[in-house]
């Protein structure tokens, strides 16, 4: 029965006149919106403009409904704290599916269901799921609107929290919709990704809403051939802000495979030496393993400067000059809050101090500011992320380990001006890294692109709170993309190998593998990390320019203790040696794990990766 479903005419709050009657002249978007409205039965449809009045209207409504607490205007202007349902705090990898037509295209690392079957299941869930709610239509673009091929999307969501967060994280609103209409009217074949999201909590007539609506049943689904996204049951960022992980990584990785580029889980930074030499570095670390911190690093070595281009996602394409150019498709930071402070990440602190931010699952101080574990000035009393009284003596944490700040990238005091260049920046070095207590040295340089691909393909890391499930378990997380590769990971490795083969090796970035997380016998970190990581960046740059020494080890080129700038570093020579050590026995123990990992991929694993493994075994004498 569609007679009760809303039409787009006359049902748009806070809009009037012609805009309300015909919110878009884009026939494809209009018909999709109508189709979804008929299925999900919202009370109202709101076409998002992305303007300040809309932000004010939505944030006020979120305060009124109890989802948001407004923070103290003097401390965090125009900023809000959300407390989620305690069960909806992270990405849900076991509920994430790649629904390719053919199961083998999802590969051994993704959950899969046939697209028709998944659509039948989810259509049942979506039927009537927006009753009592507003359906928001969010036109957005990942990357630049001025790009040669702008990467459009339209997210439909029944969550105002998602709309407000999308305004921070992506370029969105009327100007994007106007551009899509223009290109459509000009007959350009512009593609846009339909991205459907519902929290999965319809409201009965007169039913009081809860502060954080969600559903125990969750699905985060990508249809790679159709380039469509369906998400249900969660309000958490990685599950609900569909431009980010779902589009810019899972769907974009499929586009990148087809079109010969790379969509990667990488930060992008600009490094300037005291002599004024500029290098651009991209780095892939699994979630909660240090991307945001490295992207905003404050170097401890004199004269060096870091500027930020991105902290989570890089889209990289070979330019006319044969170099690999990277852009950050995002517009904000969605950073891990705990551990962020004036010492570890002062630039993140400056960014959030400017306000216009949404915090989720951190503590609220009595003076209306936010606080989390690891921040300075521990309050004597606060309200915890669960809404309970909290004091420094409390047994429970004040903030969830995966609590987040969501803040505009334009507020970052060290944002590189090149961020605004749709052509991106030429990458000099790619870093892979993870969280490993043992085995992996502070930094090792790959011998060439294929060896670097081997390092990426065998990347391992201890699991973190960024996804639900056990924390601290070592798993393979290739290129830090395990949860984000939108197709068969074996084919993905092959794509990396092909990029190396098809291009001039001398112009491609050099590849390095880093580990800031190695521990000593007492369980403490061997390497001080954070700003001190600039010493490793310096060594990397000097390697590229042929200046720094390295020891050749079975796993790659590792700094000699003398080649690393340790002036002023508070670290014993023994600790430094331990951080840099390549222990043959530890590495021999990795081999069977790598074999087991590679065997998963059968024929799809590029043979050269087996050759790389054989070479490693031979060098280890294993
Ligand atoms: P992202 O999710 O990859 O962006 O990770 P973040 O940069 O937000 O960091 C996640 C966690 O790792 C935070 O708790 C940081 O304090 C911690 N971290 C980041 N960089 C370092 C480092 O160099 N050393 C150590 N020991 N911890 C770090
Ligand atoms: P990140 O991603 O931890 O890699 O910053 C955010 C997420 O988990 O959704
Ligand atoms: Mn991050």
């Amino acid at each position: 029965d569609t007679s009760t479903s809303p039409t787009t005419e006359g049902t748009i709050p806070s809009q009037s006149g012609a805009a309300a009657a015909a919110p878009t002249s884009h026939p494809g978007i209009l018909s999709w919106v109508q189709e979804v409205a008929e299925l999900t039965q919202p009370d109202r449809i709101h076409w998002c403009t992305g303007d300040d009045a809309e932000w004010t209207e939505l944030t006020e409504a979120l305060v009124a409904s109890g989802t948001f607490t407004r923070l103290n205007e003097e401390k965090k202007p125009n900023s809000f704290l959300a407390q989620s349902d305690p069960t909806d705090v992270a990405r849900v990898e076991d509920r994430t599916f790649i629904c390719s037509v053919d199961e083998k295209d999802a590969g051994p690392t993704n959950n899969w269901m046939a697209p028709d079957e998944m659509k039948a299941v989810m259509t049942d869930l979506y039927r009537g799921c927006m009753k009592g709610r507003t359906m928001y239509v969010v036109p957005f673009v990942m990357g630049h609107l001025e790009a040669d091929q702008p990467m459009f999307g339209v997210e439909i969501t029944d969550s105002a929290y998602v709309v407000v967060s999308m305004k921070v994280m992506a370029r969105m609103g009327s100007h994007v919709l106007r551009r899509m209409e223009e290109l459509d009217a000009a007959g350009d074949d512009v593609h846009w990704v339909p991205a459907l999201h519902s929290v999965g909590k319809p409201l009965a007539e007169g039913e009081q809403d809860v502060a954080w609506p969600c559903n125990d049943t969750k699905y985060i689904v990508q249809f790679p051939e159709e380039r469509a996204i369906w998400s249900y049951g969660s309000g958490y960022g990685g599950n609900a802000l569909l431009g980010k992980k779902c589009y810019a990584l899972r769907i974009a990785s499929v586009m990148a495979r087809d079109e010969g580029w790379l969509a990667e889980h990488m930060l992008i930074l600009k490094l300037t030496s005291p002599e004024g030499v500029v290098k651009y570095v991209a780095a892939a670390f699994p979630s909660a393993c240090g991307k945001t911190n490295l992207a905003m690093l404050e170097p401890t070595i004199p004269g060096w400067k870091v500027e930020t281009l991105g902290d989570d996602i890089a889209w990289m394409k070979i330019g006319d000059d044969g170099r690999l150019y990277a852009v950050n498709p995002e517009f904000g930071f969605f950073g891990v809050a705990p551990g962020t402070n004036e010492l570890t990440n002062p630039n993140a602190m400056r960014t959030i101090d400017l306000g216009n931010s949404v915090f989720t699952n951190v503590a609220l101080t009595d003076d209306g500011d936010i606080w989390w574990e690891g921040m300075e000035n521990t309050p004597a009393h606060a309200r915890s992320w669960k809404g309970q009284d909290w004091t420094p003596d409390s047994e429970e944490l004040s903030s969830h380990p995966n609590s987040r700040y969501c803040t505009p990238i334009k507020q970052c005091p060290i944002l590189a001006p090149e961020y605004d260049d749709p052509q991106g920046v030429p990458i000099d070095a790619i870093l892979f890294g993870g969280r490993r207590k043992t085995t992996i040295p502070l930094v090792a340089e790959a011998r060439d692109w294929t060896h670097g691909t081997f390092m990426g393909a065998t990347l391992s890391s201890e699991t973190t709170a960024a996804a639900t499930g056990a924390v601290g378990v070592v798993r393979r997380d290739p290129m830090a993309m395990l949860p984000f590769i939108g197709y068969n990971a074996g084919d993905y490795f092959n794509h990396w190998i092909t990029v190396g083969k098809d291009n001039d090796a001398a112009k491609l970035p050099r590849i390095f593998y880093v580990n800031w997380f190695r521990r000593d016998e007492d369980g403490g970190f061997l390497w001080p990390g954070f700003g001190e990581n600039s010493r490793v960046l310096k060594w990397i740059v000097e390697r590229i320019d042929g200046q720094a020494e390295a020891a050749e080890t079975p796993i790659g080129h590792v700094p000699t203790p003398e080649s690393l700038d340790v002036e002023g570093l508070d670290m014993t020579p023994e600790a430094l040696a331990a951080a840099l050590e390549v222990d043959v026995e530890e590495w021999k123990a990795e081999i069977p794990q790598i074999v087991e990992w590679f065997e998963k991929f059968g024929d799809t694993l590029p043979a050269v990766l087996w050759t790389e493994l054989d070479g490693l075994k031979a060098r280890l004498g294993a």
Side-chain angles (χ1 to χ4, degrees), residues 578-589:
L580 292 171
E581 192 189 4
V582 177
D583 181 312
V584 170
E585 292 313 312
E586 281 183 332
W587 275 95
K588 281 183 181 169

Side-chain angles (χ1 to χ4, degrees), residues 19-20 86 139 161 163 192 194 202 250 263 273 329 347 349 411 450 463 465 484 520 555 590:
Y161 168 88
V163 176
W192 54 279
R250 296 196 191 100
S273 75
N347 291 308
M349 299 302 280
Q411 292 179 187
T450 304
T463 50
F484 309 119
D520 59 22
I555 64 151
E590 289 283 300

Side-chain angles (χ1 to χ4, degrees), residues 286-293 336 338-339 435 516-517 525 529-530 533:
S287 293
C289 293
K291 290 182 301 300
T292 301
N293 277 274
V336 177
R435 217 175 245 276
W516 317 138
F517 299 94
F525 291 112
F530 302 104
N533 293 335

Side-chain angles (χ1 to χ4, degrees), residues 91 236-238 244-245 265 287-288 291-292 312 334 336 404 466:
R91 284 182 293 100
Y236 171 75
K244 191 174 176 59
K245 306 291 189 181
H265 191 203
S287 293
K291 290 182 301 300
T292 301
D312 198 46
F334 183 64
V336 177
R404 298 275 171 161

Side-chain angles (χ1 to χ4, degrees), residues 585-599:
E585 292 313 312
E586 281 183 332
W587 275 95
K588 281 183 181 169
E590 289 283 300
I591 301 293
Q593 297 170 36
I594 297 174
V595 170
E596 192 189 337
W597 168 241
F598 277 1
E599 280 174 348

